[in-house]
Amino acid sequence: MGYAIEVKDLTVNYKQFQALDQLNFSLAPNKIHGLLGRNGAGKTTLLTILSSFRPAKQGTVLIDGRNPFDDEEIMEGTVFIYDKDYTYDYSKIDTVIKEMNYFRPNFDEDYARNLIKKFKISDKKTINQLSKGKQSAFQITIGLASRAPLTIFDEAYLGMDAPSRELFYQELLTEQERYPRTIIFSSHLVSEMEYLFDDVVMIDEGKLLLQGSYEEVIEQGFSITGAQADVDHFTHSLEIINEKRLGGTKSVMVYGALSNQQQQEAKSSGLEVGSLSLHDLFVHVTKEEEE
C-alpha cells in the first residue's frame, strides 16, 4: 500500500541561503522513516516537496515512479501533518471528521472518533478552542485515521505532554502493523522516539549526512567500557565523542566503525563493546557539521 520514494539531486535555493543541496536518497515503501536534522536543516522544505506543496525545480522527486506535483492520485494518497496556526479556524471537530472522507479515500471515521476519545478531545469544540497540545493530537488523529499510502508527520508532537506523545507512538506502531504505509517522521528530538524507526535519513544544512536502516546507522559508532588505562590505550587513535568515569571504570563513545579485528582486540583486553544510541550519534554528527 505504501509509496516508494526516490530523490535525485534535489536542490532548493532561497535568496539568502541554500535550503537543500543535491540531496540523493530513496525510501522503501511500508516502513517508518526517521527524517532527522536540527532546526533549519532543511527538513520542512524537503517535506513540502514530497507532499506536493511545491514542485521540485532543481532535481527530481518520484513517488511510485511519478512526479507527485499535480498528480491527483498521489496527492490524495499523501497526508502532511505539520504545526499549523488555528487561531482563526472555527471548524467544529465533529464536522472535520465527517468531511474527511471526501478528501481521503482511506479515511476511517470510526478510528478517528476512537482516537479523539483516547486523546480526550471533545468533538463539540472548534479547532481554535483546543489547547496547543490538543490541536496537535487532533492533527495526529487525522494523519493516522487517513491511512494514506504516504503519511508525513513534521514535528507533529509540538505542545503534547509526555503521556499523549507516548499514546501517539504506540498508536503509530499499532497502525503500521494493521495498515502498512510509508511513514516519514521528521524530528530534531530523537531520544524518546528512535525505537519507532525502521530507516533513518539524517540531514544538516541541506546536505545528506547518513542514510540506512536503523541498525546500519547506529553501527557508525560504538561505546567502549572497561578499566580506565585499558580504555585509554585502546581508544588513543580513535575519534572520541564523549567519555564518562566512575571510579576506575571509564566509558567512551567512539565515532566510526570498528573492524572485526578491533572488536576482538577490545574483548581480549577485557573491554565491553556496545552500540551508540541514535540520539548520541545524531548530536555528534550534526555538531561536527555545524563547527
Side-chain angles (χ1 to χ4, degrees), residues 142-191:
I142 297 301
L144 290 173
S146 293
R147 289 178 175 153
L150 175 57
T151 303
I152 300 172
F153 296 102
D154 184 15
E155 308 279 8
Y157 47 80
L158 294 176
M160 295 172 66
D161 58 23
S164 296
R165 295 197 305 272
E166 186 60 32
L167 173 58
F168 169 35
Y169 303 152
Q170 293 307 312
E171 287 292 334
L172 184 74
L173 293 176
T174 302
E175 264 295 282
Q176 185 68 346
E177 290 183 4
R178 291 187 297 214
Y179 297 93
R181 66 191 92 169
T182 303
I183 295 175
I184 302 176
F185 200 119
S186 166
S187 179
H188 69 282
L189 301 175
V190 183
S191 58

Side-chain angles (χ1 to χ4, degrees), residues 134-151:
K134 297 296 185 184
Q135 288 176 353
S136 295
F138 180 64
Q139 278 283 87
I140 284 165
T141 294
I142 297 301
L144 290 173
S146 293
R147 289 178 175 153
L150 175 57
T151 303

Side-chain angles (χ1 to χ4, degrees), residues 24 26 34 40 50 60 63 67 74 107 122 128 135 170 177 181 185 194 196 208 221 230 252 271:
N24 288 274
S26 59
L50 294 180
T60 304
I63 297 181
N67 181 351
I74 296 294
F107 187 79
S122 170
N128 69 332
Q135 288 176 353
Q170 293 307 312
E177 290 183 4
R181 66 191 92 169
F185 200 119
E194 62 179 84
L196 300 172
L208 182 68
D230 294 333
V252 301
L271 301 176

